[in-house]
Amino acid sequence: MPQAGQKYVLVMVGLPARGKSYTARKLARYLRWLGYPTRVFNAGELRRHKLGTGYSAAFFDPGNADGQRALEAMARESFGQLTDWLLREGRIGIFDATNTTRERREWIRKLCDGRGLEPVFVEVINDDPAAIEENIRANKLGSPDYEGTPLAEAVRDFRRRIAHYERAYVQVDDPEGSYLKLIDRHRKIVSHRIDGWIPARIVGFLTNLRITERPVLLTRHGESSFNQEGRIGGDPPLSPGGRGFAAELGAYLSRRFGGEGAEVWTSTMRRTVETAAPLDLPVREWRSLDEIDAGICDGLTYEEIRRRHPQEHAARTRDKLRYRYPRGESYQDVIQRLDRVIIELERQNSPVLVISHQAVMRALYAYFADVAAERIPHVPVPLHTLIELTPRAYDCIEERIALTADAA
Amino acid sequence: MPQAGQKYVLVMVGLPARGKSYTARKLARYLRWLGYPTRVFNAGELRRHKLGTGYSAAFFDPGNADGQRALEAMARESFGQLTDWLLREGRIGIFDATNTTRERREWIRKLCDGRGLEPVFVEVINDDPAAIEENIRANKLGSPDYEGTPLAEAVRDFRRRIAHYERAYVQVDDPEGSYLKLIDRHRKIVSHRIDGWIPARIVGFLTNLRITERPVLLTRHGESSFNQEGRIGGDPPLSPGGRGFAAELGAYLSRRFGGEGAEVWTSTMRRTVETAAPLDLPVREWRSLDEIDAGICDGLTYEEIRRRHPQEHAARTRDKLRYRYPRGESYQDVIQRLDRVIIELERQNSPVLVISHQAVMRALYAYFADVAAERIPHVPVPLHTLIELTPRAYDCIEERIALTADAA
């Protein structure tokens, strides 16, 4: 069984254009957000960086000894960078390369064993020709390898490159140890000897990951009476300005969704429930979306906290991410309880509007926008502003919509 | 995608003596504990109840038309009881039968489709002869089917029964829809088209389930100054009596584990951390183990709550399971946040002592002892008493150890 503090190497396995990099990046973002230092090391990027671009399929032919030597050297160098980083400061390294031969994987396993690292193979299998075609067109033709190559010629060449890998490909098998197989766009998942909290979180995440493009809308509640007084926490009602925002939000969403095809999630607190009241959409209340619990500082202004609890104020200023209010929560605590919300959001096929609170919204936003942990408590999330996020394969489109004149 | 409130049928699939009933009961207990009304319907039990016992392997021979008709009738009747209960009041029905033919599963699927129920096949595959032998000896020979039969003869007969099922067995395949395959004692898990919050929880639970027999020890913190005053919540230190209990506990655990091979989990609150201080074992603090948050009633005595918040007092008395303290938690909230603790406990191969609080301990105890939801808030968990639970295949051994003279 893995030790507490165990460091993991997630070894991607699969033919080109199967979605390895997509999965690697999604996983890295999720694991970083949960608080585990995670980095993706991509052998192809290193190759392009070191050997330059413009190599055609012939370079990848298993019969081309020079090409094979060069590819092998790049994979080894990339993996060396991964282990260096992991042993120095990382918790989880993701090795994004094809790793399609058993020899390569044996070599990785031996290096891991010798360093106390735990390898988990993550094999992406997807043989639907339409999905492969889409992946090639969306992600491969823009690669520097094909700069200046006519489109049809580039597609042909990339297919030849895949064929070269296919000749040597051997799928991961039980004697190789811990693995996950993601088959047919995650519709089927095989897990073998998956043990430990982090691997279990990875399985839970991947099981629920959909590959649908649909927006997630985030907003804080409308202004509350506590916002007017500068007090934190509590369970105050909306101010007249806050009710104005709720009405504006309702009108905007009616125009946009016409009462259908979207859902609203709120916390259990009065100010978010009141913000959702004018909306013509189904509403679900989540306790996990409640504002950070300020413990003994609940109901105070920041000035009062500074005066009455100077040591707390100083400790919080020093490390806002890890600082936990006495009898309350830290930002890290909030992130842990939002895990379930993120997994539910990833499962959705249709748009969701989340109405929550400043700290909660910072944490949710950080997941989608891949904000570094230390910066999460400082993400600007003004009142009366709707943030629309559309996650895509490798990035996230963001739009901010100010809904009332007094948005600030 | 499943609807909110979707009702599920978990259809066990597999040869006899593979651990279907073990998995069915573990799942039922977990799902009930999470708050979903769940029941197991076992076709074999119905058969023994209706047709009597003492049928030998010949009865199960696919060539025995009378036997096959009788078995089929029993399976249909048992499944009818399941759907009746599910449509009336249940959320999840578990159909514990072999269901080894595709025709049977097709029939189940059609009945589910027509009633808006979502079937998920749960196939248990385990071909290790030693494990099968162990299962037969532990679970089958005590069956009323073999009352009065000599041991060796009963084993031989049961093996013949399995052989009859093997002739007709067809494993679940992708076109059959949503399924889980648990292979080789859960070491390998295949999930196909698993979608929705409840199925995802089931996968998470089964991925982490170990089949090791090891005790879980539960205790409340030592007596605190608030216990002396009859106040709830707060973050008080231990009383002198509480410190005495901590010392006794330390001595007991040293005798028992000698500082090795066990772990201690506490909440983040002073009274549990202080209780763990004298223990000679590694300690891990969990925020999820903190006491139920009493919100606006935190720090009050029950008498003060009755006087100052009479409506709250009355509402809590009416429904202690679902009642949520204003700005605080309900028992149901506590159970949700303990899900992660239970899954971690199920993963452990060695003993764990959990030092927590009254409401938390009731919820943890309820999981192991399968206490009905409504009774959870009333489970007696006295101070200064160690509860030792050893979960086994179909039950849980419980021992209560009073550690100081003043345990009450």
Side-chain angles (χ1 to χ4, degrees):
Chain A
M1 192 145 72
Q3 302 300 303
Q6 176 69 55
K7 297 187 178 214
Y8 291 93
V9 181
L10 305 183
V11 184
M12 305 306 298
V13 175
L15 295 171
R18 260 56 180 187
K20 290 188 302 300
S21 294
Y22 170 81
T23 303
R25 293 191 206 190
K26 275 271 191 184
L27 265 179
R29 183 161 57 100
Y30 172 66
L31 293 167
R32 270 197 294 268
W33 180 76
L34 281 179
Y36 305 113
T38 304
R39 247 181 86 179
V40 178
F41 294 79
N42 182 303
E45 273 168 26
L46 184 73
R47 168 178 61 77
R48 284 186 287 272
H49 176 70
K50 293 217 120 175
L51 306 184
T53 58
Y55 288 90
S56 75
F59 182 72
F60 301 88
D61 185 338
N64 174 350
D66 285 351
Q68 291 299 300
R69 239 190 325 273
L71 287 172
E72 195 59 31
M74 286 305 105
R76 285 174 185 242
E77 184 165 342
S78 180
F79 191 72
Q81 292 177 349
L82 180 152
T83 51
D84 285 353
W85 173 81
L86 197 52
L87 292 168
R88 207 170 55 238
E89 56 185 307
R91 182 71 186 272
I92 301 160
I94 305 184
F95 186 40
D96 186 8
T98 51
N99 301 314
T100 37
T101 67
R102 191 162 292 162
E103 295 67 41
R104 165 73 69 77
R105 298 193 296 262
E106 259 311 296
W107 176 80
I108 290 172
R109 163 166 298 285
K110 279 200 191 117
L111 284 185
C112 287
D113 285 351
R115 291 168 165 83
L117 305 171
E118 180 84 12
V120 178
F121 296 105
V122 181
E123 184 169 18
V124 184
I125 300 172
N126 184 356
D127 293 327
D128 171 23
I132 297 169
E133 178 82 20
E134 189 189 319
N135 192 313
I136 294 176
R137 290 185 183 271
N139 306 316
K140 304 299 177 184
L141 303 184
S143 150
D145 280 349
Y146 291 117
E147 224 177 280
T149 312
L151 190 76
E153 168 52 23
V155 172
R156 265 198 307 278
D157 185 81
F158 199 84
R159 289 196 173 283
R160 277 196 298 272
R161 189 195 291 191
I162 293 177
H164 287 316
Y165 277 101
E166 271 169 345
R167 283 163 55 197
Y169 181 21
V170 177
Q171 291 199 4
V172 179
D173 200 0
D174 292 2
E176 295 186 59
S178 298
Y179 67 74
L180 275 171
K181 287 179 194 259
L182 313 173
I183 302 164
D184 193 15
R185 292 193 156 199
H186 301 203
R187 259 191 283 276
K188 185 165 172 178
I189 297 186
V190 182
S191 66
H192 181 252
R193 291 192 174 273
I194 290 299
D195 198 5
W197 180 252
I198 291 178
R201 302 248 51 69
I202 292 171
V203 176
F205 178 73
L206 293 175
T207 303
N208 287 285
L209 197 58
R210 296 284 159 278
I211 305 179
T212 330
E213 220 171 85
R214 39 101 199 85
V216 173
L217 297 93
L218 304 177
T219 185
R220 291 170 66 189
H221 53 82
E223 184 194 63
S224 73
S225 58
F226 268 36
N227 291 139
Q228 291 180 308
E229 298 161 23
R231 293 192 185 283
I232 66 170
D235 193 16
L238 293 185
S239 72
R243 287 196 297 275
F245 167 70
E248 289 276 350
L249 183 64
Y252 173 82
L253 293 174
S254 285
R255 285 197 301 276
R256 176 123 181 227
F257 299 111
E260 262 180 274
E263 241 183 70
V264 179
W265 297 357
T266 70
S267 73
T268 64
M269 292 173 142
R270 233 176 125 174
R271 53 201 187 275
T272 63
V273 174
E274 288 183 6
T275 303
L279 310 187
D280 194 18
L281 289 166
V283 175
R284 174 168 168 191
E285 283 183 30
W286 287 77
R287 202 182 139 74
S288 310
L289 287 171
D290 283 0
E291 180 55 312
I292 187 170
D293 181 346
I296 61 166
C297 296
D298 186 79
L300 303 183
T301 66
Y302 285 113
E303 185 45 39
E304 286 166 345
I305 296 173
R306 203 190 325 260
R307 245 187 7 251
R308 295 193 210 169
H309 305 289
Q311 283 172 338
E312 297 301 328
H313 175 77
R316 186 158 199 265
T317 307
R318 270 197 306 278
D319 187 352
K320 208 171 165 187
L321 175 67
R322 286 171 203 87
Y323 170 81
R324 179 182 281 161
Y325 285 107
R327 317 280 320 281
E329 292 177 299
S330 67
Y331 266 89
Q332 281 189 327
D333 293 332
V334 170
I335 289 169
Q336 297 312 309
R337 70 163 146 95
L338 286 174
D339 185 15
R340 180 174 166 173
V341 177
I342 287 296
I343 286 190
E344 274 287 275
L345 276 175
E346 284 289 4
R347 287 208 320 107
Q348 301 301 311
N349 286 315
S350 37
V352 176
L353 164 66
V354 182
I355 304 178
S356 66
H357 305 265
Q358 181 164 259
V360 169
M361 193 157 149
R362 282 175 171 151
L364 292 174
Y365 176 85
Y367 169 77
F368 289 104
D370 203 7
V371 175
E374 304 293 335
R375 283 183 41 228
I376 295 175
H378 308 284
V379 169
V381 286
L383 278 175
H384 299 186
T385 303
L386 191 61
I387 303 185
E388 174 162 343
L389 300 165
T390 307
R392 297 190 307 180
Y394 296 127
D395 57 5
C396 180
I397 306 172
E398 174 175 341
E399 197 187 346
R400 293 192 174 221
I401 306 153
L403 275 183
T404 51
D406 60 337
Chain B
M1 193 147 68
Q3 303 299 304
Q6 175 71 53
K7 296 186 179 215
Y8 291 92
V9 181
L10 305 183
V11 183
M12 304 306 298
V13 175
L15 294 171
R18 261 54 180 186
K20 292 187 302 299
S21 295
Y22 171 81
T23 304
R25 294 191 205 189
K26 275 272 192 185
L27 266 177
R29 183 161 57 100
Y30 173 66
L31 294 166
R32 270 197 294 267
W33 180 76
L34 282 178
Y36 305 113
T38 304
R39 247 181 86 181
V40 178
F41 292 80
N42 182 302
E45 274 168 26
L46 184 73
R47 168 178 60 78
R48 283 185 287 272
H49 176 71
K50 294 216 121 177
L51 306 185
T53 58
Y55 288 90
S56 74
F59 182 73
F60 301 89
D61 185 338
N64 174 349
D66 285 350
Q68 292 298 301
R69 238 189 326 271
L71 287 171
E72 193 61 31
M74 287 304 104
R76 285 174 186 242
E77 185 165 341
S78 179
F79 192 72
Q81 293 177 348
L82 181 151
T83 50
D84 285 353
W85 172 80
L86 197 52
L87 292 167
R88 205 172 55 238
E89 55 184 310
R91 182 70 187 271
I92 300 160
I94 305 184
F95 186 40
D96 186 9
T98 50
N99 301 314
T100 37
T101 67
R102 191 162 291 161
E103 295 66 42
R104 166 74 68 78
R105 298 193 296 263
E106 259 312 297
W107 176 80
I108 290 172
R109 163 167 297 288
K110 278 198 191 118
L111 283 185
C112 287
D113 286 352
R115 292 166 164 83
L117 305 171
E118 180 84 12
V120 177
F121 297 106
V122 181
E123 185 170 18
V124 184
I125 300 171
N126 184 357
D127 293 327
D128 172 22
I132 296 169
E133 179 81 19
E134 188 190 321
N135 193 313
I136 294 177
R137 290 183 182 272
N139 305 316
K140 304 298 176 183
L141 303 185
S143 151
D145 280 350
Y146 291 117
E147 224 175 282
T149 313
L151 190 78
E153 169 51 25
V155 172
R156 267 197 306 278
D157 185 81
F158 200 84
R159 290 199 173 283
R160 279 196 297 270
R161 188 195 291 190
I162 294 176
H164 287 316
Y165 277 101
E166 271 170 345
R167 283 163 56 197
Y169 181 20
V170 177
Q171 291 200 3
V172 179
D173 200 2
D174 292 2
E176 296 186 58
S178 298
Y179 67 75
L180 275 172
K181 286 179 194 259
L182 312 174
I183 302 165
D184 194 13
R185 293 191 154 202
H186 300 202
R187 260 192 282 277
K188 185 164 171 178
I189 297 186
V190 182
S191 66
H192 182 252
R193 290 191 175 276
I194 289 301
D195 197 6
W197 180 251
I198 291 177
R201 302 249 51 68
I202 292 171
V203 176
F205 178 72
L206 293 175
T207 303
N208 287 285
L209 196 59
R210 295 286 159 281
I211 304 179
T212 330
E213 221 171 83
R214 39 101 199 86
V216 173
L217 296 93
L218 305 177
T219 186
R220 290 170 67 189
H221 53 83
E223 185 195 61
S224 74
S225 59
F226 268 36
N227 289 138
Q228 292 181 306
E229 298 161 23
R231 292 190 186 283
I232 67 170
D235 193 15
L238 292 186
S239 72
R243 287 197 297 277
F245 167 70
E248 289 277 350
L249 184 64
Y252 173 82
L253 293 173
S254 284
R255 284 196 303 276
R256 176 126 181 226
F257 299 112
E260 263 181 271
E263 243 183 69
V264 178
W265 297 358
T266 69
S267 75
T268 65
M269 292 173 142
R270 233 175 125 175
R271 53 200 187 276
T272 63
V273 173
E274 288 183 5
T275 303
L279 310 187
D280 194 19
L281 290 166
V283 175
R284 175 168 167 191
E285 284 184 28
W286 287 76
R287 202 182 137 76
S288 310
L289 287 171
D290 283 0
E291 180 55 313
I292 189 171
D293 182 346
I296 61 166
C297 296
D298 186 78
L300 302 184
T301 66
Y302 285 113
E303 185 45 41
E304 286 167 348
I305 296 172
R306 201 190 327 258
R307 249 191 0 254
R308 295 194 210 168
H309 306 289
Q311 284 173 337
E312 298 300 328
H313 175 77
R316 187 156 197 267
T317 307
R318 269 197 306 278
D319 186 353
K320 208 171 164 187
L321 176 68
R322 288 172 202 85
Y323 171 81
R324 179 181 281 160
Y325 284 106
R327 317 280 320 281
E329 291 178 299
S330 67
Y331 267 88
Q332 281 189 327
D333 293 331
V334 170
I335 290 168
Q336 297 311 311
R337 69 162 146 94
L338 287 175
D339 185 16
R340 178 172 168 176
V341 178
I342 287 295
I343 286 190
E344 274 286 275
L345 277 175
E346 284 289 5
R347 286 209 319 109
Q348 301 301 312
N349 285 316
S350 37
V352 176
L353 164 66
V354 183
I355 304 177
S356 67
H357 306 264
Q358 181 165 258
V360 169
M361 193 157 148
R362 283 176 171 150
L364 292 174
Y365 176 85
Y367 168 76
F368 290 103
D370 202 8
V371 175
E374 304 293 335
R375 284 183 40 227
I376 295 175
H378 308 285
V379 170
V381 285
L383 278 175
H384 299 187
T385 303
L386 191 60
I387 302 184
E388 174 162 344
L389 300 166
T390 307
R392 297 191 307 181
Y394 296 126
D395 57 6
C396 181
I397 306 172
E398 174 175 340
E399 197 186 346
R400 293 192 173 221
I401 305 154
L403 276 183
T404 51
D406 61 336

